[in-house]
Amino acid sequence: MKRKLISAIGIAGMVVSIAACGGDGDGGSGKGADAKELTVWLTVDAQNNWPELVKAADAAVKKKHPGLKVEHEYYGWPDKNAKLDAVLATDKAPDVVEMGNTEMLGYMVKGAFAPLDQAAFDNSDAWLDGLKASVTYEGKTYGVPYYAGGRVANWRKDVAASVGVKSTPKTYQELTDALDKIQKKQGDKYNAWYQPTRDWYAAMSFVYDAGGAIATESGGRWKASLSSPESLKGLKEFKNVVDTYMHGDKTKDESDRYIVYGQGKSSMIFAAAWEGATAEDPKNDKTGKLKGNLENFVMPGPSGKKMPVFLGGSDLAVPVKSDAQALAAEWINAFTGSSGQKGLMAKGNLPNNKTDLATLKNDPKTAVPATAAESNWFVPMAPGWGQVEKAQILQTMLQSIGTGKKSVEAAAEEADAAIDKVINTK
């Protein structure tokens, strides 16, 4: 599932209404503890894939509060934020809302969500770093991590075996040595590694692996740092990958990567953990050879360590206009707590905390994504980050680099200047 950060402009009208009501919410510390109704908004993922977990959370809260009525509404990701913005501008806000973790920031900056007591939630002292960052703004907690989704490398075992490679690489050198053999055997029209140029999630993993960052904070102000020596090192290696192994359209993003992978003209991707399995689905596998022939592995980084991966996922938040904030916090804890995490893991999700994540490393079916997720990064939690994403500054930079339109240094300097113009703007 791809999450896109809502722009600040999209929630401007809603914010005026929130400010007018003058409430800052106490998020689980008492307000609405005696409410008789609770409205929970979740995406269709919960409705379709783990409805029994929703029912269990309802039952747990109702047991403590006899007579409580819990209503649910489900929505798809494409239209979710428009519906949420519209209702938050009224006095009929839901009490719990699901957010993609990169969507949280714009709402936290504008004061849309009530602050929560982190200590009141199970395993909160062990939340995964990337997820914890997504619910934290200016030292306060405004949401609870729900589940996570990581990124892994995936390649075709048959193609690797055709050049004498019979096991997944453990180091970056082993990886590039294998890919060099595959590229030579398959020819210059083949993508030994299909890596869309505009895929900033992958590119920034190289940046963070090299010790760089998109932006850094000092004294409460953020400054872009893509042109730092460390970041440039990561960007140059990303360009090397694209130049050496990616022989397709250098202007593409990652949105249809699993479809392209299923066409059989590439032997590896670095992608969300679900993409390999989706590529081998008969609907997408145009080769008839992918089922059981694709293998996930932990992406090694050029630094010699595991490649840090962007940690996607969902969070749950309580709108500041909710009249049942205390009950909303109880429901969230019932849903995302210890038993809920076990249920989510059984459905193939990564948990929201390091304690449960460690248990997945012992199961061959989940060891790779669980191990990969241990090293992760997240977007700068800066007030103007939404404007950076909306302007597609990173994608523009990467396309300029990948197509050779600009040097890595020039593209990075231009991106830094564009980021600095908006990153501190609320």
Side-chain angles (χ1 to χ4, degrees):
M1 295 168 287
K2 187 172 182 179
R3 324 291 202 217
K4 288 191 178 291
L5 181 63
I6 186 73
S7 69
I9 295 175
I11 56 176
M14 170 270 291
V15 171
V16 172
S17 177
I18 290 174
C21 78
D24 59 0
D26 55 11
S29 60
K31 181 178 179 181
D34 58 351
K36 301 302 181 185
E37 294 185 2
L38 194 66
T39 301
V40 178
W41 280 20
L42 300 171
T43 68
V44 292
D45 302 321
Q47 183 182 33
N48 296 335
N49 300 319
W50 45 87
E52 70 277 12
L53 302 183
V54 177
K55 292 179 181 178
D58 291 352
V61 178
K62 288 179 179 179
K63 185 176 181 180
K64 291 178 61 178
H65 303 276
L68 176 66
K69 182 179 181 181
V70 183
E71 294 186 348
H72 296 276
E73 290 190 32
Y74 297 93
Y75 42 77
W77 287 104
D79 57 353
K80 174 180 69 67
N81 288 339
K83 292 181 179 180
L84 180 58
D85 294 347
V87 76
L88 288 180
T90 72
D91 293 323
K92 296 181 179 180
D95 303 300
V96 177
V97 293
E98 177 181 349
M99 305 294 297
N101 60 351
T102 63
E103 297 171 340
M104 284 289 294
L105 182 56
Y107 289 86
M108 294 191 294
V109 168
K110 297 300 181 179
F113 297 144
L116 302 173
D117 177 9
Q118 180 181 326
F121 299 94
D122 292 355
N123 293 311
S124 60
D125 58 343
W127 283 345
L128 298 178
D129 295 339
L131 294 187
K132 182 177 180 179
S134 74
V135 299
T136 307
Y137 182 67
E138 295 186 339
K140 293 185 178 181
T141 300
Y142 290 93
V144 176
Y146 171 11
Y147 66 90
R151 282 167 168 71
V152 298
N154 180 287
W155 77 358
R156 289 183 58 171
K157 292 186 289 185
D158 60 338
V159 177
S162 73
V163 295
V165 179
K166 298 182 180 180
S167 61
T168 54
K170 300 300 185 290
T171 68
Y172 193 71
Q173 186 65 54
E174 288 180 4
L175 173 63
T176 55
D177 285 348
L179 292 176
D180 288 343
K181 294 176 182 178
I182 291 170
Q183 192 66 66
K184 182 178 180 179
K185 179 180 175 66
Q186 297 291 337
D188 59 10
K189 292 184 179 181
Y190 185 84
N191 303 299
W193 175 349
Y194 182 71
Q195 179 52 65
T197 308
R198 290 171 65 88
D199 176 13
W200 64 276
Y201 298 107
M204 293 305 105
S205 286
F206 281 87
V207 167
Y208 282 92
D209 178 69
I214 300 171
T216 58
E217 182 185 18
S218 178
R221 298 284 293 177
W222 288 84
K223 184 170 179 57
S225 57
L226 291 168
S227 55
S228 72
E230 297 83 2
S231 294
L232 288 175
K233 182 179 180 181
L235 288 171
K236 287 178 179 179
E237 183 54 34
F238 180 75
K239 175 176 170 55
N240 179 54
V241 166
V242 172
D243 288 347
T244 307
Y245 306 119
M246 167 66 178
H247 301 289
D249 185 348
K250 299 292 179 70
T251 67
K252 285 182 66 64
D253 65 17
E254 71 281 9
S255 59
D256 65 347
R257 173 170 43 209
Y258 66 93
I259 294 175
V260 175
Y261 196 30
Q263 293 171 350
K265 296 182 179 180
S266 53
S267 56
M268 175 184 150
I269 56 175
F270 173 39
W274 55 266
E275 292 188 52
T278 306
E280 70 176 21
D281 185 295
K283 293 182 294 185
N284 300 313
D285 179 10
K286 304 305 179 183
T287 70
K289 301 177 181 179
L290 300 186
K291 188 68 174 177
N293 203 18
L294 298 183
E295 185 173 15
N296 283 337
F297 59 94
V298 177
M299 180 69 186
S303 68
K305 301 178 182 179
K306 288 181 297 188
M307 183 76 88
V309 299
F310 174 77
L311 201 60
S314 278
D315 300 323
L316 297 174
V318 179
V320 72
K321 282 190 171 185
S322 166
D323 292 325
Q325 291 179 18
L327 285 180
E330 284 188 40
W331 190 92
I332 290 174
N333 194 43
F335 189 52
T336 64
S338 297
S339 61
Q341 291 302 308
K342 287 181 173 58
L344 288 166
M345 288 189 293
K347 296 292 185 177
N349 300 293
L350 294 179
N352 66 3
N353 67 90
K354 298 172 185 176
T355 304
D356 286 327
L357 186 70
T359 67
L360 295 182
K361 293 174 63 177
N362 299 321
D363 185 341
K365 295 180 181 179
T366 54
V368 169
T371 301
E374 289 180 318
S375 178
N376 56 76
W377 62 271
F378 198 63
V379 299
M381 295 301 285
W385 178 252
Q387 296 181 57
V388 175
E389 279 211 41
K390 183 184 179 186
Q392 298 193 355
I393 295 171
L394 297 180
Q395 293 94 321
T396 299
M397 173 190 71
L398 294 171
Q399 184 169 321
S400 294
I401 291 172
T403 59
K405 182 180 179 181
K406 295 178 180 176
S407 68
V408 173
E409 291 84 356
E413 288 177 4
E414 184 176 277
D416 276 352
I419 291 171
D420 284 338
K421 287 181 180 178
V422 298
I423 196 167
N424 291 295
T425 305
K426 291 187 177 182

